[in-house]
Amino acid sequence: MVNKSIAKFIAFIIIALIPVVFFVYFKNRNNFSNSASPRPMWPIDVKNISGKMDTIYHQVPNFSATNANGISISTEEMIGNVSVVEFFFAQCPSICPIMNQQMERVFTNLSRNNNFKIFSYTIDPDRDSLSSLTDYASKHNADLSKWYFLRANQQEVFNFGRNGLKIPVDIEDSEVGFLHSERFVLIDWNRNIRGYYMGTDSVEVNKMMHDIVLLLSEKEIKEKKKRKKIKL
């Protein structure tokens, strides 16, 4: 009698779990479909390429700045890599320390991939000398061959942020008075913008790291397909 009761109880549990199993299964399938890498942003034209219509997207323009180690770094370094761009200044008392704590976390997790780069542009070149940028980079355990701390003319940096990266103008308090943004900008190997993320929000930064991994995977898959076509 006891065995029959146990069998009925087990059967009841199994029947009750069936809807849950199906729910989890389809939920996971939907999550998988939502795990596609982010699409390029800012479409500007549609052209006939190789016999088919294709959308042309805004590309980050050429822009050169001096790295903390005195080497000139251009946005051409983005070609063939997945990159993240931010704007900061070393004396910033508010959002920059939080942003670069998060960026250090990104660098620690992803810097082993040689096709990943970070571009950090100072918006206060008058105070941020190359030596102060070197110290700042050291505090965040940055490898200056992969995480660039960059200095250029302030107005040119502003124009690059507004027009090249499509970052809206945010004016900080009057004491600072600089164009400032807490956004991280994700850029693919063709210099197409793929996303914006709040650099002060750890959840958003986690999402960005997830998207970086997806883009690196997308890049690898496309390169494999090209190599196969060449062999054929």
Side-chain angles (χ1 to χ4, degrees):
M1 189 74 177
V2 174
N3 289 339
K4 284 185 178 180
S5 297
I6 293 173
K8 285 182 180 179
F9 178 75
I10 292 172
F12 172 78
I13 294 295
I14 291 172
I15 292 169
L17 285 174
I18 287 173
V20 176
V21 171
F22 273 96
F23 172 78
V24 172
Y25 172 74
F26 285 110
K27 184 174 184 294
N28 287 339
R29 285 192 65 181
N30 288 336
N31 283 343
F32 179 78
S33 65
N34 290 333
S35 289
S37 56
R39 292 181 60 80
M41 305 178 73
W42 306 104
I44 56 175
D45 200 1
V46 177
K47 291 185 178 180
N48 190 320
I49 299 176
S50 301
K52 67 174 184 178
M53 301 306 291
D54 203 358
T55 304
I56 307 300
Y57 295 94
H58 168 78
Q59 285 187 314
V60 174
N62 289 336
F63 183 70
S64 294
T66 304
N67 196 10
N69 56 10
I71 296 173
S72 178
I73 299 292
S74 166
T75 51
E76 288 186 3
E77 294 284 337
M78 295 175 179
I79 299 171
N81 297 305
V82 174
S83 305
V84 175
V85 177
E86 67 160 344
F87 295 90
F88 80 106
F89 59 106
Q91 304 297 323
C92 172
S94 55
I95 62 174
C96 298
I98 302 170
M99 290 168 62
N100 280 308
Q101 285 173 4
Q102 292 295 326
M103 193 69 91
E104 182 178 350
R105 187 163 66 89
V106 174
F107 185 73
T108 300
N109 281 282
L110 298 171
S111 62
R112 286 185 294 273
N113 191 302
N114 290 326
N115 292 125
F116 176 65
K117 308 288 183 184
I118 299 174
F119 293 70
S120 296
Y121 293 91
T122 177
I123 56 171
D124 187 8
D126 290 340
R127 289 191 292 177
D128 286 350
S129 64
L130 294 185
S131 60
S132 66
L133 289 179
T134 301
D135 291 342
Y136 194 87
S138 179
K139 288 177 184 177
H140 290 284
N141 300 305
D143 176 349
L144 291 175
S145 68
K146 296 181 178 180
W147 182 356
Y148 309 126
F149 285 82
L150 299 158
R151 184 172 178 266
N153 174 273
Q154 187 184 69
Q155 190 58 52
E156 290 176 359
V157 171
F158 285 5
N159 291 338
F160 174 61
R162 292 167 183 157
N163 304 317
L165 296 171
K166 307 293 187 181
I167 292 177
V169 176
D170 295 324
I171 302 298
E172 283 250 300
D173 57 74
S174 57
E175 183 181 350
V176 180
F178 292 134
L179 165 73
H180 208 187
S181 174
E182 57 193 312
R183 291 171 177 82
F184 292 162
V185 187
L186 179 58
I187 299 164
D188 70 15
W189 52 93
N190 291 319
R191 292 195 300 191
N192 296 138
I193 296 171
R194 293 288 190 115
Y196 299 91
Y197 308 82
M198 301 303 285
T200 54
D201 185 333
S202 62
V203 175
E204 285 256 323
V205 174
N206 287 343
K207 174 66 167 60
M208 183 182 77
M209 286 196 287
H210 176 258
D211 288 345
I212 290 168
V213 171
L214 289 173
L215 282 177
L216 288 167
S217 177
E218 179 187 329
K219 176 180 179 291
E220 186 178 349
I221 290 168
K222 288 187 174 182
E223 286 177 347
K224 283 181 179 178
K225 287 182 178 178
K226 282 183 182 179
R227 287 195 292 268
K228 283 182 179 179
K229 284 183 179 180
I230 291 171
K231 286 181 181 179
L232 294 174

